Amino acid sequence: MKAHHPIAGTVHGHRGSRGTHVVFAGGGTGGHLFPGLAVAEALRQAQPELRITFVGSGRSLERGEVPAAGFDYMAIAAAPGPRKMWHWPRFASSHIAASLTARRWLEREQASLVVGLGGYASVPAVAAAQRMNLPTLLLEQNAVPGRATRWLAGRASVVCLALSQSQSWLGSAGNKAVVTGNPLRRPFRVTSRRADADRVQKTCVVLGGSGGAVELNTAFLDALTQLRGVALGWRMVHQTGTTEAEAVARRYALMGCDAHVTPFIDHPAEVLAEADLVVTRAGATSLAELAALGVPTVACPYPRAVDQHQWHNAQVYAEAGGCHLVDFRTGEPGATLAKTLAPLLVDRVAREALGQAMRRLAVPDAAERVAMIVSEMIGYSTLMRQAA
């Protein structure tokens, strides 16, 4: 993917006495937050004097990850868009209040530019910035842009897309789109995966996303019950989410399987680099991280995701030969998953073909691509290129 962006000249942010201030708005989930952190780290590396602040909705993931990465954090209440008409008045009232709070904060903190990370948590600060005529850049990770992106894209300066398939969903705002790839955390860009053939014991990693996935946990265990003979010699590493670890561990014990069960994998790049096969939901950032490592992947999209966006994400990778797509909307999930896993557990060549195709879809410098666009928007393009 080659980044080409339609910026008609440099847009200079507000430079007050406190310096140039880039604000990242949103987070909520890892899929939205981690790409923003990757871009912020690329900016900080090139321009240490930049002020960088994250504004989120106050969720624990944001409160933990942002300060740990060394950035300031501000919480502003935000609510998801309602799905029922009679909820709109309450939503409108809370959105106006959150946007006013965001505007007062952006003015007081002399924001130069706002980067929207997607999701409802990004809306108050981005909408306020647009009403203040501050430059705004949106990050869109999914094949089908989220509602926040579609709502805010019309007044955005630039929309950075992880996948080219997203552009057609933006209507007239599509002319502001730049295909940059999905910005990745540094561990996924510097970690190398050893070849499948180098490992005596094979490892299958099951990922339900940062919060786990009950349906995927159950389907995988049901599939493994049917495949116990085929799966002999495999070790399972299973991220369950916070509520299911004990129940999943009991089922593995009853089957006599070699399994490491954990609510959350703390160092995913290291674990995935040792994986011979991954079974995962189809969050856009998870798939991009797996592509960066070249991991053979079976994607099981969350069947009730808004606009079926996970299914569309997985379809992009499946059509390129990078993963197998298992649709839980049809058939019995465990049996459907078992049918897909059976040949992969015994065929190293098939697994490596998947991994190689995944690797071809990777955009390891996506964070730098987005950071370059941000730098041009705030007038730092020359310095960024010198730093590169």
Side-chain angles (χ1 to χ4, degrees):
M1 299 178 187
K2 183 178 180 181
H4 174 73
H5 55 87
I7 301 177
T10 301
V11 182
H12 292 274
H14 179 184
R15 295 171 182 265
S17 59
R18 300 175 66 187
T20 302
H21 187 188
V22 178
V23 175
F24 288 80
T29 66
H32 290 308
L33 179 61
F34 292 141
L37 286 171
V39 174
E41 287 167 358
L43 283 168
R44 179 172 60 186
Q45 184 174 2
Q47 295 299 328
E49 74 276 17
L50 279 179
R51 291 181 62 212
I52 297 176
T53 304
F54 280 72
V55 174
S57 60
R59 296 184 67 172
S60 59
L61 178 71
E62 301 163 1
R63 290 185 178 277
E65 295 289 341
V66 173
F71 299 109
D72 292 333
Y73 178 76
M74 168 71 178
I76 294 177
R83 298 179 185 275
K84 297 178 180 178
M85 289 297 296
W86 53 87
H87 292 160
W88 271 99
R90 179 181 295 179
F91 167 75
S93 176
S94 63
H95 170 68
I96 291 170
S99 294
L100 288 173
T101 299
R103 177 165 187 155
R104 287 192 293 267
W105 184 86
L106 291 170
E107 289 174 342
R108 184 176 70 249
E109 297 299 322
Q110 300 179 351
S112 307
L113 176 144
V114 176
V115 178
L117 305 181
Y120 71 87
S122 69
V123 172
V126 176
Q130 290 178 342
R131 283 191 289 273
M132 295 166 64
N133 293 318
L134 288 175
T136 56
L137 180 148
L138 306 181
L139 293 183
E140 178 52 59
Q141 301 85 15
N142 293 291
V144 177
R147 289 190 293 174
T149 297
R150 281 179 277 172
W151 184 15
L152 298 166
R155 297 186 63 183
S157 308
V158 184
V159 183
C160 292
L161 306 177
L163 301 167
S164 61
Q165 290 81 357
S166 308
Q167 188 166 5
S168 63
W169 292 81
L170 295 176
S172 60
N175 62 3
K176 303 176 182 181
V178 188
V179 180
T180 58
N182 197 344
L184 300 175
R185 290 174 282 177
R186 180 173 173 76
F188 287 95
R189 295 152 54 196
V190 301
T191 303
S192 298
R193 178 176 175 269
R194 288 194 293 118
D196 192 322
D198 293 340
R199 286 183 283 269
V200 175
Q201 185 181 44
K202 306 304 179 188
T203 299
C204 178
V205 178
V206 183
L207 297 174
S210 58
V214 174
E215 190 172 27
L216 179 59
N217 293 341
T218 302
F220 183 80
L221 291 166
D222 290 348
L224 195 60
T225 301
Q226 301 173 44
L227 297 171
R228 272 189 284 185
V230 178
L232 287 175
W234 279 77
R235 178 174 183 263
M236 308 299 165
V237 176
H238 196 136
Q239 176 179 282
T240 62
T242 55
T243 62
E244 288 229 304
E246 290 186 10
V248 170
R250 283 196 297 270
R251 285 199 62 180
Y252 277 118
L254 289 172
M255 286 188 283
C257 288
D258 181 3
H260 172 68
V261 178
T262 179
F264 186 74
I265 295 174
D266 292 320
H267 303 287
E270 296 175 14
V271 173
L272 294 172
E274 296 295 319
D276 301 283
L277 184 65
V278 168
V279 179
T280 181
R281 283 299 195 208
T285 297
S286 294
L287 290 174
E289 291 171 345
L290 291 167
L293 296 173
V295 183
T297 299
V298 174
C300 308
Y302 177 55
R304 289 171 292 282
V306 176
D307 296 324
Q308 290 296 319
H309 71 266
Q310 287 205 2
W311 187 89
H312 288 281
N313 292 339
Q315 186 182 40
V316 171
Y317 287 80
E319 287 180 348
C323 75
H324 286 306
L325 194 166
V326 177
D327 193 344
F328 283 179
R329 296 174 299 177
T330 60
E332 195 278 316
T336 304
L337 182 55
K339 185 177 179 180
T340 298
L341 289 174
L344 292 174
L345 291 172
V346 299
D347 190 341
R348 179 180 63 82
V349 174
R351 293 195 300 270
E352 284 302 293
L354 279 179
Q356 290 167 11
M358 280 293 276
R359 189 68 185 86
R360 288 193 292 270
L361 293 167
V363 187
D365 65 341
E368 286 76 15
R369 294 183 182 195
V370 177
M372 181 66 75
I373 296 172
V374 172
S375 72
E376 291 179 0
M377 294 172 71
I378 58 176
Y380 275 146
S381 59
T382 300
L383 292 174
M384 281 285 288
R385 289 192 179 96
Q386 291 173 350

